[in-house]
Amino acid sequence: MQREKSMKNIIQPGHPLIKTLVTRLRNLETDSYTFRKTLSELARLLLYEALKDEKTEEINIKLWSGSGNFPYIKGEKYVFIPVLRAGLPMLDGVLEAVPEASAGFLAIKRDEKTLKSTVYYDRVPPLKGKTAFILDPMVATGGSLDHAISVVKGKKPDRIFTLNVIGAPDGVRRVCENHPDITMVIAQVDEKLDNNGYILPGLGDAGDRAFNT
Ligand code: PRP
Ligand code: URA
């Protein structure tokens, strides 16, 4: 996807390993267990990219040879928010990288005919002083992610990142233009949507693939 000037807030890592994992997700022969594990691993790699310029703090730790100050990311300020269902497998990967972080949960479902999304569960804590990471593999029309960002903004975090796997050009543009104050880290922007609002070539329905439905 051509990055437009108005879309300064999108990061596409382009790493060969990330591309390989996306290909594994696209492959219809990938079983549900491997699909979830791959989403988890991808989320971790996208988090690395999101935090590549993050400031570390010096912490004092016990060493085998005394003690000393060393750099550390203080993860207590991070809140990971998977969008159910398909975002759920991404949570493990990011929590493995930053175990001190906390998690909130948002469930969003888009209507298969109108493609409009509805929030049906919001268990995201107040986010004052926090950095929020919204986890959802798919950005099709962009409606669900747009909705998720608006809900999260209402909880007043300091910063918002979204970690996404595959997007369609118009959906990605919609989110980035409606929310120039967030940063989207996305593995891949595909060609287009089909007539039913599914991404092509995409990977199919991520929730169904992840949970065998
Ligand atoms: C999927 C996906 C996104 C949404 C993207 O969820 O996880 O949340 O579709 O589509 P959009 O950009 O057009 O809004 P879905 O609504 O299928 O729910 P599910 O994860 O429970 O299957
Ligand atoms: N949701 C999905 O899971 N896949 C798509 O291609 C579009 C929306």
Side-chain angles (χ1 to χ4, degrees):
M1 176 182 185
Q2 202 68 359
R3 196 171 120 155
E4 291 149 33
K5 275 193 191 141
S6 60
M7 289 168 49
K8 294 197 186 95
N9 51 338
I10 176 167
I11 298 173
Q12 262 187 276
H15 192 285
L17 185 54
I18 290 182
K19 291 182 182 173
T20 301
L21 295 178
V22 174
T23 299
R24 187 182 297 160
L25 291 178
R26 292 190 198 283
N27 187 347
L28 262 196
E29 290 181 356
T30 296
D31 63 45
S32 183
Y33 173 78
T34 311
F35 191 91
R36 291 194 303 274
K37 286 282 172 204
T38 305
L39 276 180
S40 170
E41 181 63 20
L42 266 169
R44 192 143 59 111
L45 297 177
L46 296 173
L47 180 69
Y48 286 160
E49 198 62 34
L51 295 180
K52 75 173 187 299
D53 297 321
E54 193 75 340
K55 287 200 174 59
T56 52
E57 293 174 44
E58 297 282 305
I59 61 163
N60 190 269
I61 53 170
K62 275 189 195 159
L63 300 169
W64 69 280
S65 54
S67 68
N69 289 340
F70 291 91
Y72 200 76
I73 286 183
K74 289 209 169 151
E76 290 86 354
K77 60 178 175 285
Y78 300 145
V79 182
F80 297 122
I81 304 163
V83 176
L84 276 47
R85 288 177 303 165
L88 196 55
M90 299 173 77
L91 182 61
D92 266 0
V94 290
L95 279 177
E96 273 167 21
V98 190
E100 304 91 344
S102 48
F105 297 87
L106 259 188
I108 299 183
K109 178 79 190 119
R110 70 172 191 167
D111 183 283
E112 286 184 7
K113 288 213 171 68
T114 64
L115 302 183
K116 285 208 173 351
S117 60
T118 311
V119 176
Y120 61 92
Y121 184 66
D122 172 359
R123 196 79 165 80
V124 178
L127 296 172
K128 206 156 180 285
K130 304 283 188 181
T131 297
F133 293 85
I134 301 173
L135 317 175
D136 191 341
M138 309 307 280
V139 187
T141 64
S144 302
L145 189 57
D146 195 337
H147 212 144
I149 294 169
S150 299
V151 172
V152 167
K153 278 185 174 173
K155 319 258 179 188
K156 308 274 183 244
D158 286 355
R159 291 182 299 174
I160 300 176
F161 290 89
T162 74
L163 305 185
N164 312 104
V165 177
I166 299 183
D170 288 351
V172 168
R173 190 175 298 110
R174 170 181 176 178
V175 172
C176 290
E177 289 183 355
N178 285 352
H179 302 283
D181 48 346
I182 65 106
T183 301
M184 174 188 283
V185 186
I186 188 162
Q188 173 70 40
V189 180
D190 272 1
E191 286 164 28
K192 58 180 181 182
L193 292 184
D194 74 5
N195 293 335
N196 298 314
Y198 278 84
I199 300 171
L200 291 174
L203 51 73
D205 187 305
D208 286 348
R209 299 273 322 270
F211 298 108
N212 253 339
T213 52

